[in-house]
């Protein structure tokens, strides 16, 4: 069957079972949009290309599928860069299709030309410039395969306008084989056995689980292993939900804003089992005093993550789920009993009781209270995205995630403006779900234009702005470490967020007193429309516990 | 520590940029580099001389392997020393009647060639390992070197010796 390049592209998307594309048209992709006009694939017209990528990213995190976006050359392509870098840092599978000027003009500083392949080389897992129409199906097949396999990540395909206009025979390759890319899936059995021996020997083990557990869909296996061996589990920011937050073995998050018990447990454990985590500096603090008494086991699909920051004693390279399955199978057969954990779990319980996350509610609304109320009133049954800053940390601390893929946050890059478009993408995937973006008044203004998109497509995303009239996290650092010189971190002017929502055709609500919080959330959850809730919260509130950057994680400033 | 790493890559546009970008982006250093097509024209061979502590060198190896276009990475300093390495230098030496004989005798000793002769200079071609190149340069330097160009290193694994 002979097809035009633009049609081939869409057929490839169909073959990959792509249900939604987030995009924005322009000169170089007009032919693709021409073909899209009568095609069955759903296209969501965002209002900024950065949001297209974040939306595809939110879609991917919530579903586990590859997120797809489509933008034009030049400024369309460069607008995607922050979104791509965000997905790259968090290992989110995306395929980004960018238009490009015709091949004959490439390199000539043509109108709307940008070397997007060059620009995105360091922030994509791989990228392609298609120079021959015959390659297009293979490139598409490879791109989806690379994006979702191994350690997932974004893959960009640059499509020159003339190539998209050529015709060629279409057949989609069944198999994909890249001689230089064969990720290790199965863990080495001998290494797994060595790890198991340590599991049994340890008196004070802790599992430190990260985003890799979510990405490899290994939550059930992780839960089974932790239960079977009574090993407490702390998760990273990216790992929230991969182990039930309400499970008695759950220690909560570790690191800079982690719980007291998680940081203490890691500091005093004799065995640390890192699963799909990468010893990020926000987790470890001072490396020399991170798990200083522990043997370290590390399960990860990416060999570069192993011994990058911390020397690992027993590395196991492979897919976390496969490794955990093999561990469970080996334990199941042996009928082994792990060591008695009573005293270790008792020690942890004492840490927990000694330092709760309680805060005092005064006259002003406490931001933590808002997050707790959202949790309570949704019964935790919702998808939560966040912006970046204090809002993100409070959401992580005060919402309990019992299931994976319900938590969308920019962990690695820390991109303000991520949460709202990510929520939009998740809502496209799950139209019936409750999707809440927990936002800051600074961050929300970085992609506020997407209000038009959610109204147009009737995506009832709820935006809860924890409005402290400042860049809270910046203000917090200035308060604690810069002698309270609040240099350019306070907003002297804000739009009226309620009127702003209304101007876009969404619903605007506001709460200024603690007793207004609950009714306003109930109202927002009841309407089947996008809602902004402007929670006017206490300005000076800080996120605690806090470990100063670079300090040992046991060195916590507590509430 | 200094390591010679040989990287077999897909012979595609942009691959050199990926490798160079990896080194610059992660703060690794490239001391010398050579790239060429292999017998199989779909592949290129790169030889990179780099420097770092154990942790850095381990990362360099792993990060190179992680690039989709990289087929194989061999770190020659890691395994046994079973490889041959060569570099090439072209050295332009000033010659006067007084030192002509001395220059020629150095060239003779190092078994290299004069490939261009001018009124007041010789251009000498020398191949060998790094030590040999450094040695001849040091001997010629007092006589007046005007210019030097040096290639990157190339390496090849040794075959098992016939017993
Ligand atoms: C795009 C971007 N620019 C700057 C920063 C640096 N930054 C981190 S947190 C923060 C403050 C965020 O303020 P706001 O959105 O109001 O959230 P709050 O901390 O008050 O909850 C800033 C500016 C960032 N993370 N991302």
């Amino acid at each position: 069957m002979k097809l035009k390049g633009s049609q081939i592209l869409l057929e490839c998307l169909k073959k990959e079972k792509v249900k939604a594309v987030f995009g924005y048209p322009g000169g170089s992709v007009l032919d693709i949009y021409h073909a899209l006009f009568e095609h069955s694939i759903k296209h969501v017209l965002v209002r900024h290309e950065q949001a297209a990528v974040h939306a595809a990213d939110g879609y991917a995190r919530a579903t586990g599928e590859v997120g797809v976006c489509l933008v034009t050359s030049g400024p369309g392509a460069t607008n995607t860069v922050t979104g791509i870098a965000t997905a790259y840092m968090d290992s989110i599978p995306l395929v980004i299709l960018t238009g490009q000027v015709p091949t004959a003009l490439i390199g000539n500083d043509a109108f709307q030309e940008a070397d997007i392949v060059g620009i995105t080389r360091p922030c994509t897992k791989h990228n392609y410039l298609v120079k021959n129409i015959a390659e297009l199906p293979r490139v598409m097949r490879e791109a989806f395969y690379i994006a979702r396999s191994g350690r997932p990540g974004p893959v960009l395909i640059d499509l020159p306008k003339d190539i998209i206009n050529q015709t060629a025979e279409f057949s989609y390759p069944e198999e994909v084989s890249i001689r230089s890319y064969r990720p290790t899936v199965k863990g080495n059995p001998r290494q797994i056995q060595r790890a198991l021996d340590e599991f049994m020997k340890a008196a004070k083990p802790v599992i430190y689980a990260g985003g890799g557990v979510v990405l490899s869909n290994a939550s059930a296996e992780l839960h089974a292993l932790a239960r079977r061996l009574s090993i407490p589990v702390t998760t990273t920011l990216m790992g929230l939900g991969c182990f039930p937050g309400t499970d008695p073995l759950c220690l909560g998050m570790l690191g800079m804003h982690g719980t007291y018990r998680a940081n203490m447990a890691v500091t005093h454990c004799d065995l640390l089992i890192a699963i799909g985590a990468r010893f990020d500096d926000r987790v470890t603090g001072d490396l020399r005093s991170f798990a200083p008494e522990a043997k370290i086991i590390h399960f990860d699909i990416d060999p570069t993550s192993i011994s990058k920051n911390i020397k690992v004693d027993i590395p196991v390279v492979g897919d976390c789920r496969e490794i955990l399955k093999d561990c469970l199978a080996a334990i199941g057969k042996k009928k082994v009993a792990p060591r008695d954990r009573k005293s270790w779990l008792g020690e942890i319980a004492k840490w927990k009781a000694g330092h709760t996350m309680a805060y005092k509610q005064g006259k002003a609304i406490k931001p933590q209270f808002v997050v707790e109320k959202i949790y309570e009133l949704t019964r935790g049954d919702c998808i939560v995205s966040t912006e970046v800053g204090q809002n993100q940390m409070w959401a992580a601390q005060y919402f309990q995630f019992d299931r994976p893929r319900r938590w969308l946050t920019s962990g690695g890059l820390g991109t303000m403006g991520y949460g709202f478009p990510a929520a939009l993408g998740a809502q496209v995937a799950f139209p019936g779900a409750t999707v809440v973006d927990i936002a800051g008044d600074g961050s929300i203004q970085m992609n506020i234009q997407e209000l038009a998109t959610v109204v147009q497509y009737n995506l009832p995303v709820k935006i809860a702005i924890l409005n402290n009239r400042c860049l809270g996290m910046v203000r917090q650092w200035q308060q604690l470490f810069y002698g309270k010189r609040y240099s350019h971190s306070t907003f002297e002017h804000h739009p009226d967020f309620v009127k702003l929502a209304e101007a876009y055709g969404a619903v605007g609500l506001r709460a200024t007193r603690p007793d207004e919080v609950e009714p306003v959330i109930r109202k927002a959850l009841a309407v089947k429309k996008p809602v902004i809730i402007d929670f006017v919260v206490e300005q000076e509130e800080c996120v605690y516990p806090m470990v100063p950057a670079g300090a040992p994680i046991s060195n916590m400033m507590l509430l | 520590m200094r390591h010679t790493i040989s990287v077999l890559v897909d012979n595609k546009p942009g691959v050199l940029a990926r490798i160079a970008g990896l080194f610059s982006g992660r703060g690794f250093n490239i001391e010398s580099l050579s790239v060429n097509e292999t017998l199989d024209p779909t592949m290129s061979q790169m030889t990179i001389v780099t420097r770092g502590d154990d942790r850095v060198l381990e990362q360099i190896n792993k990060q190179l392997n992680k690039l989709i276009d990289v087929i194989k990475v061999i770190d020659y300093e890691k395994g046994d020393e079973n490889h041959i390495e060569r570099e090439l230098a072209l050295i332009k030496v000033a010659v006067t009647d007084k030192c002509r004989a001395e220059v020629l005798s150095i060239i003779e000793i190092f078994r290299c060639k004069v490939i261009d002769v001018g009124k007041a200079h010789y251009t000498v071609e020398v191949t060998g390992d790094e030590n040999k190149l450094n040695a001849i340069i040091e001997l010629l330097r007092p006589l007046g070197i005007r210019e030097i160009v040096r290639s990157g290193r190339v390496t090849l694994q040794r075959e098992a010796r016939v017993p």
Side-chain angles (χ1 to χ4, degrees):
Chain A
M1 190 177 33
K2 267 200 176 328
L3 292 178
K4 261 182 74 174
S6 45
Q7 291 166 318
I8 292 180
L9 189 79
L10 299 181
E11 287 312 303
C12 293
L13 294 179
K14 235 165 86 181
K15 290 277 187 194
E16 291 294 337
K17 303 195 174 60
V18 172
K19 291 181 210 84
V21 173
F22 301 88
Y24 208 91
S28 306
V29 287
L30 276 172
D31 300 282
I32 302 173
Y33 274 85
H34 189 62
L36 204 49
F37 193 59
E38 51 199 13
H39 203 278
S40 59
I41 286 179
K42 182 180 173 71
H43 177 274
V44 178
L45 176 68
V46 293
R47 299 302 192 263
H48 189 300
E49 290 89 349
Q50 182 189 348
V53 188
H54 291 327
D57 170 313
Y59 184 98
R61 290 187 207 225
T63 59
E65 293 162 21
V66 178
V68 180
C69 43
L70 168 62
V71 301
T72 193
S73 66
T78 54
N79 267 348
T80 64
V81 173
T82 301
I84 296 173
T86 303
Y88 184 66
M89 287 291 270
D90 290 346
S91 308
I92 304 306
L94 297 182
V95 168
I96 302 100
L97 305 165
T98 54
Q100 183 53 281
V101 300
T103 42
L105 291 182
I106 291 178
N108 282 7
D109 303 321
F111 177 63
Q112 295 197 324
E113 178 183 359
D115 174 14
I116 197 64
V117 167
I119 290 169
T120 59
R121 222 175 258 131
C123 63
T124 50
K125 184 170 173 188
H126 198 54
N127 60 17
Y128 295 89
L129 169 64
V130 180
K131 281 193 168 158
N132 181 344
I133 182 71
E135 291 175 358
L136 182 57
R138 177 185 57 80
V139 167
M140 290 288 286
R141 181 81 170 87
E142 284 186 10
F144 276 87
Y145 172 66
I146 290 171
R148 65 162 74 95
S149 60
R151 177 176 180 173
V155 179
L156 180 140
I157 306 175
D158 204 17
L159 302 158
K161 184 162 177 153
D162 55 326
I163 302 290
I164 279 305
N165 268 314
Q166 290 166 11
T167 41
E169 198 61 41
F170 173 65
S171 81
Y172 203 58
E174 292 292 321
E175 292 292 316
V176 55
S177 148
I178 307 169
R179 64 178 166 188
S180 51
Y181 176 69
R182 300 221 161 87
T184 310
V185 175
K186 277 281 187 190
N188 178 313
R190 291 217 339 251
Q191 290 294 90
I192 291 178
Q193 192 49 53
R194 284 180 63 203
L196 285 172
D197 293 345
E198 295 298 330
F199 289 2
M200 299 305 167
K201 266 195 274 172
K204 301 191 285 180
V206 170
I207 290 175
Y208 144 50
V213 176
V214 178
L215 293 166
S216 71
N217 300 310
S219 293
E221 288 77 8
L222 172 64
H223 201 189
L225 185 82
R227 278 278 181 81
R228 175 77 171 76
L229 303 180
S230 308
I231 303 179
V233 179
T234 174
T235 70
T236 66
L237 181 71
M238 291 302 297
L240 289 177
C242 79
F243 188 78
T246 51
D247 190 288
L249 285 170
C250 187
L251 303 176
M253 185 169 77
L254 82 166
M256 182 176 277
H257 294 295
T259 65
Y260 183 75
R261 66 187 192 282
N263 284 7
M264 285 311 184
V266 168
T267 304
H268 293 98
C269 68
D270 63 355
L271 179 69
L272 186 73
I273 305 147
I275 309 181
R278 60 187 176 88
F279 297 86
D280 177 73
D281 53 277
R282 286 292 189 263
V283 160
T284 62
D286 175 34
L287 283 167
R288 281 161 308 174
S289 37
F290 184 73
E293 295 154 23
K295 262 217 168 125
I296 298 184
I297 294 175
H298 192 179
F299 299 167
D300 206 287
I301 191 125
D302 181 1
T304 68
S305 289
I306 287 170
S307 292
K308 183 172 69 177
N309 302 332
I310 272 208
K311 187 99 192 71
V312 170
D313 299 298
I314 307 177
V316 186
V317 175
D319 179 80
C320 293
R321 180 154 183 239
E322 293 297 325
I323 298 171
L324 287 169
K325 270 191 185 162
D326 288 346
C327 290
L328 286 167
I331 296 168
K333 268 185 254 156
K334 277 198 187 136
K335 290 200 118 189
V336 276
R339 277 178 65 159
D340 183 14
R341 302 259 190 257
K342 242 193 221 126
S343 79
W344 177 228
L345 295 178
E347 213 173 323
I348 290 172
K350 261 186 249 152
W351 285 322
K352 183 175 182 179
H355 296 278
T356 62
M357 300 288 285
Y359 54 90
K360 274 192 232 78
Q361 182 71 265
K363 266 207 206 112
I365 301 173
K366 289 279 183 177
Q368 300 93 319
F369 177 67
V370 175
V371 176
E372 275 189 341
K373 276 288 160 199
I374 294 173
Y375 176 63
E376 191 186 306
L377 296 173
T378 57
R379 280 171 240 99
D381 185 17
C382 67
I383 296 174
V384 175
S385 73
T386 74
E387 302 296 337
V388 169
Q390 294 181 318
N391 57 84
Q392 179 182 32
M393 292 303 130
W394 284 318
Q397 292 175 330
Y398 290 90
F399 203 99
Q400 310 298 323
F401 294 91
D402 277 342
R403 286 164 55 190
R405 301 201 177 279
R406 294 288 190 103
W407 165 244
L408 320 173
T409 199
S410 168
L413 200 66
T415 307
M416 290 170 69
Y418 168 80
F420 178 29
L424 180 167
Q427 190 82 76
V428 168
F430 299 105
T434 302
V435 183
V436 182
D437 173 30
I438 295 179
D441 46 306
S443 302
I444 194 60
Q445 296 186 68
M446 288 209 178
N447 270 315
I448 193 78
Q449 76 287 342
E450 297 310 315
L451 275 173
T453 314
V454 291
V455 171
Q456 175 177 334
Y457 292 93
N458 198 16
L459 301 166
V461 172
K462 318 296 175 202
I463 303 169
I465 304 178
L466 306 179
N467 185 351
N468 50 14
R469 282 87 59 213
C470 65
L471 295 168
M473 190 55 97
V474 172
R475 207 215 80 251
Q476 173 167 345
W477 283 54
Q478 289 172 335
Q479 176 185 330
L480 300 174
F481 311 116
Y482 289 86
K484 301 195 181 174
R485 280 161 61 94
Y486 298 122
S487 181
H488 305 284
S489 56
T490 313
F491 292 115
E492 274 148 36
H493 177 75
H494 262 334
D496 178 331
F497 287 112
V498 172
K499 283 192 187 150
L500 184 79
E502 287 166 1
Y504 273 103
V507 176
L509 301 170
R510 177 172 292 127
T512 53
R513 293 195 323 261
D515 63 316
E516 291 171 342
V517 170
E518 182 167 334
V520 149
I521 296 173
R522 282 191 190 283
K523 209 162 160 188
L525 292 173
V527 285
K528 295 267 167 295
K529 276 181 151 192
V531 181
I532 281 189
I533 322 173
D534 183 15
F535 292 101
V536 181
V537 299
E538 180 156 326
Q539 185 165 45
E540 270 84 51
E541 193 65 19
C542 286
V543 178
Y544 291 114
M546 178 172 191
V547 177
I553 59 166
S554 54
N555 181 0
M556 302 185 87
M557 302 156 74
L558 296 159
L559 196 69
Chain B
M1 248 182 312
R2 200 137 155 262
H3 280 208
T4 308
I5 298 173
S6 149
V7 192
L8 190 65
V9 298
D10 274 323
N11 187 3
K12 277 193 215 151
V15 176
L16 178 59
R18 276 185 216 285
I19 305 255
L22 169 65
F23 275 76
S24 65
R26 294 193 178 264
F28 304 148
N29 181 356
I30 296 183
E31 294 197 351
S32 92
L33 168 72
S34 75
V35 192
N36 240 307
E37 205 172 277
T38 62
L39 258 187
D40 174 350
T42 68
M43 297 187 212
S44 294
Q45 182 80 53
M46 294 190 184
T47 309
I48 301 171
V49 181
T50 183
R51 191 186 281 281
D53 59 21
D54 284 348
R55 196 186 57 86
V56 167
L57 288 162
E58 183 179 334
Q59 272 295 310
I60 292 175
N61 276 281
K62 287 174 166 179
Q63 293 286 355
L64 282 168
N65 263 309
K66 187 170 160 178
L67 291 177
I68 306 283
D69 290 327
V70 169
I71 300 163
K72 193 172 173 189
V73 181
I74 303 170
D75 185 337
Y76 282 114
E77 263 73 23
K78 252 170 58 183
D80 41 16
E81 297 265 309
N82 248 340
H83 71 285
I84 313 153
E85 51 184 58
R86 286 292 177 269
E87 289 172 31
L88 172 108
L90 301 178
I91 308 167
K92 201 181 275 179
V93 213
V95 282
T96 58
D97 288 337
K98 257 173 50 201
C99 70
R100 191 177 310 270
E102 194 177 343
V103 170
L104 285 171
S105 82
I106 292 170
I107 290 169
E108 177 75 31
I109 294 165
F110 281 86
R111 277 176 292 162
C112 41
K113 276 189 296 193
V114 175
I115 54 170
D116 185 44
V117 181
K119 275 207 196 100
H121 83 271
Y122 287 163
T123 300
V124 180
E125 174 196 311
V126 50
T127 44
D129 62 15
E130 189 185 20
N131 291 338
K132 174 175 168 185
L133 266 58
N134 288 344
I136 188 169
I137 289 166
E138 283 324 303
L139 287 174
L140 290 174
R141 199 187 296 277
L143 305 176
I145 294 178
R146 283 212 247 140
E147 240 181 300
I148 302 180
V149 283
R150 284 175 81 152
S151 70
R153 187 175 293 182
V154 291
T155 48
L156 204 61
Q157 209 138 19
R158 266 187 212 279
E159 288 299 313
R161 293 234 171 104
V162 187

